[in-house]
Amino acid sequence: MDETLVELSEYIGVKLESSLLDVSHAYGELTITVKRDDIVDVVQFLKDDSQCQFVNIIDVCGVDYPSRIERFEVVYHFLSPKQNVRIRVKLSTDEKTPVQSICEVFPGADWFEREAYDMYGILFVNHPDLRRLLTDYGFEGYPLRKDFPLTGFVEVRYSEEHKRVVYEPVKLAQEFRNFDYLSPWEGAEYVLPGDEKATN
């Protein structure tokens, strides 16, 4: 393992001890899990501390684990050009508990947090403009949640009759089907020519 990464993880472990829940290394990256309410202080430290200098925000995203009590993880990725090291910062939340926005520390987190809100329904407090980013304003649900239906709730199309975009309930031409991937003809109940020996 990279010596710089080990030293940095030990340093961060000492400095942020009261805010950390877990520290781990994988694939040449450091991952820390922090208390939800401490996220702004943690990223401020990671950015300003002379030993860290994680001044580049790479990404903020959500992950859905429906079986957990706090089903969402918010995952932040930062880069320290000085140390030439990446760090992943994680925290957990549920559908109703908001997470502090880090826009005051990293203004570039603005659209990342909006996307996490739009796709997962993760709430960020003190965000300058928390509204949907990729879906329509009247869109129902959160498309990247594991319990969101595969078909969605409505379909969108342009109506020549109304001369505008219209929303209609989803209508499936047929039910979802189970496919038999062992045979080129799905659902064959008979022995295919040439497969006689395969059953013996």
Side-chain angles (χ1 to χ4, degrees):
M1 185 176 302
D2 187 359
E3 191 176 314
T4 305
L5 201 63
V6 173
E7 290 174 5
L8 189 60
S9 67
E10 291 171 356
Y11 177 75
I12 290 172
V14 170
K15 291 290 190 177
L16 296 176
E17 184 178 8
S18 62
S19 298
L20 292 181
L21 299 174
D22 185 48
V23 179
S24 63
H25 309 92
Y27 308 107
E29 289 187 16
L30 174 62
T31 301
I32 62 174
T33 305
V34 301
K35 295 176 183 173
R36 178 177 49 244
D37 295 336
D38 294 347
I39 186 62
V40 175
D41 294 335
V42 168
V43 297
Q44 188 76 64
F45 169 82
L46 293 174
K47 180 180 181 184
D48 295 342
D49 187 83
S50 60
Q51 297 288 337
C52 298
Q53 294 188 12
F54 287 97
V55 295
N56 291 10
I57 185 168
I58 297 170
D59 186 27
V60 179
C61 61
V63 184
D64 186 13
Y65 298 99
S67 59
R68 294 183 185 175
I69 294 171
E70 291 190 333
R71 71 182 285 181
F72 301 118
E73 276 189 356
V74 182
V75 184
Y76 305 81
H77 295 96
F78 302 99
L79 171 68
S80 172
K82 178 184 179 184
Q83 300 284 357
N84 193 24
V85 171
R86 294 174 187 262
I87 190 169
R88 179 180 299 110
V89 181
K90 301 193 305 185
L91 61 85
S92 296
T93 191
D94 57 31
E95 297 173 38
K96 296 178 181 174
T97 309
V99 176
Q100 288 289 327
S101 171
I102 64 165
C103 287
E104 63 186 59
V105 183
F106 287 98
D110 183 350
W111 279 28
F112 291 131
E113 290 179 351
R114 282 181 62 187
E115 182 180 16
Y117 165 69
D118 193 5
M119 296 289 107
Y120 293 95
I122 298 169
L123 299 170
F124 294 91
V125 293
N126 300 323
H127 187 283
D129 186 22
L130 191 64
R131 58 191 164 101
R132 289 195 180 267
L133 178 67
L134 300 171
T135 57
D136 244 350
Y137 293 119
F139 190 87
E140 292 181 24
Y142 302 98
L144 290 184
R145 286 189 182 182
K146 299 256 173 81
D147 53 7
F148 189 78
L150 294 175
T151 58
F153 297 108
V154 295
E155 57 185 339
V156 181
R157 68 176 180 82
Y158 180 80
S159 168
E160 275 295 331
E161 179 184 339
H162 298 99
K163 301 292 185 201
R164 65 179 173 84
V165 173
V166 294
Y167 296 83
E168 298 172 337
V170 172
K171 295 177 194 157
L172 298 177
Q174 64 184 25
E175 292 296 322
F176 282 115
R177 296 164 38 191
N178 291 326
F179 293 95
D180 176 8
Y181 294 106
L182 300 177
S183 144
W185 297 275
E186 64 211 48
E189 298 293 330
Y190 51 87
V191 177
L192 298 172
D195 283 352
E196 297 88 1
K197 294 180 183 175
T199 58
N200 296 336

